Amino acid sequence: MAILVTVTGVVQGVGFRPHVYRRAVSAGYSGWVANFPSGVLIYLQVDITEADQAVTELLADLPPVARVDGYSVKEVPSKNVEGFTIAESSSSGRMAAEIPHDLAACDNCIAEMRDRENRRYRYPYITCTNCGPRYSVITALPYDRSNTSMAPWAMCRACAEEYHNPADRRFHAESTACWDCGPSYVLYRNDGNGGVFERTDLVGVAAVTEVAGLLGSGEIIAIKGIGGYHLACDAEDATAVATLRKAKFRKEKPFALMARDIDTILEVCSVSEDAEVVLTSPGAPIVLLPGSASLEGVAPDSDVFGVMLPYTPVHRLLFDLGSPPLLVMTSGNRASEPILYLDGDALNGFSGIARAVLVGERPIVRRLDDSIVFPLGAAPVLRRSRGMAPTSVADLDHQGPIIGFGADLKSTIAIAVEGKVFVSQYLGDLAYHEVQLSHRRTVLDLADMYGTDVHSALICSDLHPQYFSSSLAASFAVEMGTGEVLRVQHHRAHIASVLAESGDWDENVVGVAMDGTGYGDDGTIWGGEFFCGSLRSGLNRVASIGGDAHLFGGDAAAKYPLQALAGYLHNEGSWRLLADNVFGFDPSDLRALSSIRASGNDFLCTTSAGRLFDAMAAICGFVGRMTYEGQAAMWLESLAQRQIGNAAGSSTKYPQCYRFDLDGGGIGYEDVLNEAVLDRSNGVDPGRIALGFHLGFARAVALTATRIANETGSHTVALSGGVFQNRIFTSGVLDLLSRASLGVRMNRVLSCNDENISLGQVAIGAVSLSSSANLGRRAQ
């Protein structure tokens, strides 16, 4: 007899089979290893009594990015097998293996790329088993070269020898190539006046060298990366940065930076040990770091820079060939449109923005933005995409297929297969048609890869009837004949995502969801909510921020902080004080809003924490329109953060914080706004007001959660929603909850913003299929 071992987890495209092969040969085992849809299968000619020892030996010292989630062993008839081999992959059966992520170029490959004697010297697509593209080039699973966008390039003899040599680092490296057999880079240029891009004769090193020179002379260049195009310029060239802002219609939103190395980052940022670990990790995300230098125009009104290290060989080569050491490396798009990843779209779309386009010949199969991580925050993941997604994030006790269509902003989709939930990469804002198309493609893409029958899946969407995601879910359900859609309230989905991530299905918790907008059960706009209950039994809303605020102009209130303030500030005396010159508001804007306030019209009511932050930002001096989502709240946080730095104080002692009214069971805000208006009118520093608001609101949220916990006997608080990306507020909440001896759950794998909504929808969908709990609303 023999044994057959099924291994699940991140075990394809990460050097797992070569690892098993080498260890098996070293131990003298006979058998084979192969990729299968379920993961990796290992056949060993050993007795079942030796199985534990053999498996332990093969799975020891795994490759850096491999992860074994579990394995099963069964006894099978013995076959006449001599030696150990890597067998041909199989595509039959249900897919359960995780899709491998794109990995940053490893040190070994970069060393070879810089070695003049190496045949891959300065090759911009150098890769090996331990690094390089994965998800961005996969066309189907299992992960073999024939199922990638590298399929058109047949390996030369030298590459093929490495590919089949068990002792070589490129043994079964599916994207391996070299100058003789692989893709390269080509430069396209225009006349500098927005003309058509024309292909030049510059290819490979010559093309990259030219780009390095152009960047040094102040030009803006489009560069193809792993998941799409970036627009790059010299970060220390204020004119180039300003020109890029104007061309992208991106007035104030911070730009991401790419630095040549850690030493370069240290010249402009403070880098902790934890931050350096994230910066140099295989996922190579953008990392938010405290700024210690001024870079004009890069991150206006922000105390942090988003920085990443070069993660592709072509990025490394660019710096080696003389590029400025610190580049703006922002997504290749205009404003908030999706990043461009197809070559034809790039050559058309960057006319009038870029002087040249560096086109890589290897096609990108799917768009992937850069991931963003803030290692100093309690909720570290801010955007989860390249190098981090898709991945399994939760286990269900329901086996049937479920698809969560997510929310509109920061959209993702989640798909449940055989009890595992896989969440897609960040897709973007569904207000854009291209993102809607990408959203649909991703649903079908993941369903196809994981062998999911979309015709029998439960489709889940947000409760908001006017969300694009809700419409997409409804249309998809009709097209696929799945029946009714389960409509899940937005903030319950936030809390459900935390509980699903942590596996807390039955524990009674206090759920706190703080964000900008979500459609409530009562048809009003929620955004500052407290729940009690469990994921399995249901989450009941028990408190909120005071619900007498109005959204004047609906969604427009999310763009104009003064407009948000008009809906929250009810005291007419305080409203009249806003005409003082110290506030800086346009008198015509105040008159128009005064007329709206006096009209008596029935405006939408809201409990939004996000709009409360916007209102306070208006009091503290944010005048005018926001040019990107969350700008006013981020500005207010930076203002408060600078106050902490100036005072060298502690955010956990709550000095001079504003006191919110908690007598009504929820959080009353009106007295705080009146006091803040009066303070500003009397010349109190806006930084002190901003800090006092942050600390006071953190205290109010923590005390309310503690009260509910004491009344319900809960010992755990679950926190989610975009407001918990605010460092000062969140650290204050966590400190007080810790003092109250309450456990805390937050999103760790996913972002706490709307990227987690799709997971929450699937989790609540799973409960609805296995119980009669009324956790959502079904569309009629």
Side-chain angles (χ1 to χ4, degrees):
M1 299 297 286
I3 63 170
L4 189 66
V5 185
T6 301
V7 186
T8 59
V10 183
V11 291
Q12 293 190 16
V14 291
F16 184 80
R17 289 176 300 162
H19 170 82
V20 170
Y21 173 90
R22 284 189 284 267
R23 294 193 71 87
V25 170
S26 176
Y29 291 122
S30 293
W32 50 260
V33 61
N35 280 342
F36 273 66
S38 58
V40 167
L41 294 187
I42 305 171
Y43 170 80
L44 289 176
Q45 287 194 179
V46 300
D47 189 84
I48 189 68
T49 60
E50 302 175 71
D52 288 343
Q53 177 183 341
V55 172
T56 299
E57 191 164 10
L58 296 184
L59 301 187
D61 300 322
L62 292 174
V65 292
R67 190 190 76 233
V68 172
D69 290 339
Y71 65 86
S72 61
V73 179
K74 70 175 181 179
E75 195 171 18
V76 295
S78 179
K79 300 178 181 179
N80 185 21
V81 176
E82 293 185 4
F84 198 88
T85 61
I86 292 182
E88 185 177 348
S89 301
S90 171
S91 59
S92 62
R94 180 180 289 277
M95 182 65 201
E98 291 200 17
I99 301 170
H101 304 155
D102 300 282
L103 305 173
C106 70
D107 291 341
N108 287 331
C109 281
I110 297 305
E112 290 177 348
M113 187 188 75
R114 291 170 172 168
D115 181 0
R116 292 179 179 274
E117 303 304 317
N118 192 282
R119 67 189 187 87
R120 291 188 177 88
Y121 177 55
R122 290 182 169 177
Y123 181 55
Y125 277 123
I126 189 171
T127 183
C128 71
T129 307
N130 299 320
C131 68
R134 300 294 193 270
Y135 183 50
S136 64
V137 299
I138 292 172
T139 56
L141 287 172
Y143 176 62
D144 290 318
R145 191 182 185 93
S146 60
N147 291 332
T148 73
S149 61
M150 284 294 293
W153 287 275
M155 285 183 282
C156 65
R157 177 177 295 181
C159 284
E161 287 177 355
E162 293 170 337
Y163 181 87
H164 291 102
N165 180 2
D168 197 278
R169 199 175 78 254
R170 293 185 174 86
F171 184 44
H172 279 262
E174 307 302 343
S175 57
T176 191
C178 71
W179 285 115
D180 293 332
C181 64
S184 187
Y185 273 80
V186 180
L187 187 67
Y188 287 73
R189 295 186 64 157
N190 61 21
D191 58 8
N193 296 312
V196 175
F197 288 104
E198 299 286 350
R199 178 169 176 149
T200 70
D201 294 330
L202 299 176
V203 178
V205 175
V208 181
T209 301
E210 180 71 6
V211 167
L214 289 171
L215 289 168
S217 63
E219 299 287 359
I220 297 167
I221 309 297
I223 301 170
K224 188 176 183 178
I226 284 182
Y229 278 85
H230 288 100
L231 288 167
C233 71
D234 184 351
E236 297 180 287
D237 186 330
T239 300
V241 174
T243 301
L244 180 56
R245 281 206 176 278
K246 183 177 180 180
K248 278 196 57 159
F249 307 118
R250 185 166 175 164
K251 292 184 178 180
E252 292 136 336
K253 188 175 182 179
F255 281 139
L257 298 171
M258 179 175 283
R260 179 177 56 199
D261 48 31
I262 289 289
D263 288 341
T264 302
I265 297 177
L266 287 170
E267 294 177 6
V268 294
C269 298
S270 300
V271 182
S272 66
E273 290 184 8
D274 289 343
E276 185 168 350
V277 168
V278 179
L279 279 165
T280 57
S281 67
I286 295 171
V287 180
L288 299 187
L289 301 170
S292 58
S294 176
L295 291 172
E296 185 178 345
V298 170
D301 296 321
S302 177
D303 61 328
V304 298
F305 290 125
V307 190
M308 56 185 156
L309 289 170
Y311 56 84
T312 69
V314 75
H315 291 143
R316 295 283 192 119
L317 185 58
L318 193 63
F319 287 114
D320 287 352
L321 294 173
S323 164
L326 190 64
L327 298 174
V328 166
M329 192 68 73
T330 185
S331 55
N333 57 8
R334 292 183 188 268
S336 299
E337 294 176 0
I339 185 174
L340 299 181
Y341 72 105
L342 299 175
D343 299 337
D345 291 344
L347 293 172
N348 289 326
F350 295 136
S351 178
I353 300 179
R355 181 68 175 85
V357 182
L358 187 61
V359 176
E361 293 177 329
R362 183 181 66 205
I364 297 173
V365 174
R366 54 186 60 79
R367 171 192 293 117
L368 289 166
D369 291 88
D370 293 311
S371 295
I372 305 176
V373 173
F374 189 23
L376 299 180
V381 179
L382 302 186
R383 186 170 74 195
R384 182 176 161 277
S385 191
R386 176 191 53 77
M388 300 178 71
T391 191
S392 171
V393 299
D395 294 324
L396 309 178
D397 57 9
H398 182 82
Q399 300 300 301
I402 309 171
I403 302 174
F405 271 61
D408 275 19
L409 294 174
K410 302 177 175 65
S411 65
T412 62
I413 70 105
I415 184 166
V417 183
E418 298 293 321
K420 286 190 172 293
V421 186
F422 299 89
V423 176
S424 75
Q425 72 275 22
Y426 160 88
L427 298 172
D429 183 352
L430 286 174
Y432 293 95
H433 180 64
E434 179 57 35
V435 180
Q436 294 179 30
L437 295 178
S438 181
H439 188 281
R440 175 183 168 80
R441 284 195 297 267
T442 303
V443 172
L444 296 175
D445 192 20
L446 292 182
D448 179 62
M449 285 191 174
Y450 286 107
T452 305
D453 181 7
V454 295
H455 302 286
S456 64
L458 171 65
I459 307 299
C460 305
S461 78
D462 196 273
L463 184 61
H464 200 306
Q466 296 179 349
Y467 266 11
F468 292 107
S469 55
S470 300
S471 298
L472 291 171
S475 299
F476 189 84
V478 171
E479 180 184 351
M480 300 300 168
T482 63
E484 58 188 353
V485 174
L486 181 69
R487 297 173 61 192
V488 179
Q489 201 280 322
H490 187 91
H491 300 95
R492 289 191 180 91
H494 268 310
I495 302 304
S497 75
V498 176
L499 301 180
E501 259 195 57
S502 59
D504 297 327
W505 291 79
D506 295 296
E507 182 181 9
N508 285 317
V509 303
V510 177
V512 183
M514 296 281 153
D515 65 5
T517 300
Y519 194 76
D521 293 341
D522 56 4
T524 64
I525 302 303
W526 293 1
E529 313 306 319
F530 296 83
F531 301 92
C532 67
S534 72
L535 182 50
R536 201 178 306 278
S537 66
L539 297 166
N540 300 309
R541 185 193 191 211
V542 293
S544 68
I545 295 174
D548 55 350
H550 294 92
L551 288 176
F552 293 134
D555 290 342
K559 300 177 181 178
Y560 293 92
L562 177 59
Q563 201 157 323
L565 179 59
Y568 277 78
L569 190 63
H570 304 303
N571 184 283
E572 291 303 319
S574 296
W575 178 257
R576 286 193 292 271
L577 281 177
L578 298 182
D580 289 355
N581 290 336
V582 67
F583 291 97
F585 295 124
D586 188 323
S588 63
D589 290 339
L590 290 172
R591 287 194 296 270
L593 287 169
S594 294
S595 177
I596 293 173
R597 285 161 49 88
S599 67
N601 291 339
D602 186 19
F603 294 99
L604 279 175
C605 291
T606 186
T607 60
S608 169
R611 298 296 79 77
L612 182 59
F613 272 80
D614 292 346
M616 186 57 69
I619 293 172
C620 289
F622 193 102
V623 179
R625 183 184 188 277
M626 286 188 275
T627 60
Y628 60 92
E629 186 205 2
Q631 181 183 4
M634 292 170 62
W635 176 88
L636 187 71
E637 180 187 3
S638 292
L639 195 66
Q641 193 68 49
R642 287 194 292 273
Q643 180 68 19
I644 293 174
N646 292 339
S650 170
S651 64
T652 59
K653 295 180 180 179
Y654 303 102
Q656 301 177 343
C657 67
Y658 289 109
R659 300 280 172 162
F660 286 76
D661 180 8
L662 306 181
D663 292 339
I667 298 178
Y669 56 80
E670 188 167 357
D671 289 345
V672 167
L673 292 183
N674 291 332
E675 187 178 352
V677 169
L678 186 60
D679 283 347
R680 182 81 199 282
S681 181
N682 288 332
V684 175
D685 184 87
R688 289 188 60 188
I689 297 173
L691 180 58
F693 167 76
H694 276 81
L695 301 180
F697 188 54
R699 176 180 179 276
V701 168
L703 291 181
T704 302
T706 301
R707 173 185 62 78
I708 296 171
N710 292 335
E711 292 173 354
T712 61
S714 299
H715 301 288
T716 303
V717 180
L719 309 175
S720 190
V723 172
F724 285 105
Q725 293 178 164
N726 183 301
R727 296 159 290 166
I728 302 172
F729 165 70
T730 302
S731 63
V733 171
L734 293 177
D735 176 64
L736 279 179
L737 292 179
S738 175
R739 295 186 192 188
S741 299
L742 291 170
V744 176
R745 302 279 188 274
M746 296 186 72
N747 295 104
R748 295 294 180 182
V749 178
L750 301 178
S751 168
C752 66
N753 62 37
D754 279 6
E755 287 185 30
N756 68 45
I757 291 295
S758 61
L759 170 61
Q761 292 169 349
V762 166
I764 289 177
V767 173
S768 76
L769 289 174
S770 58
S771 72
S772 59
N774 180 23
L775 299 179
R777 291 185 176 181
R778 289 185 180 273
Q780 302 299 313

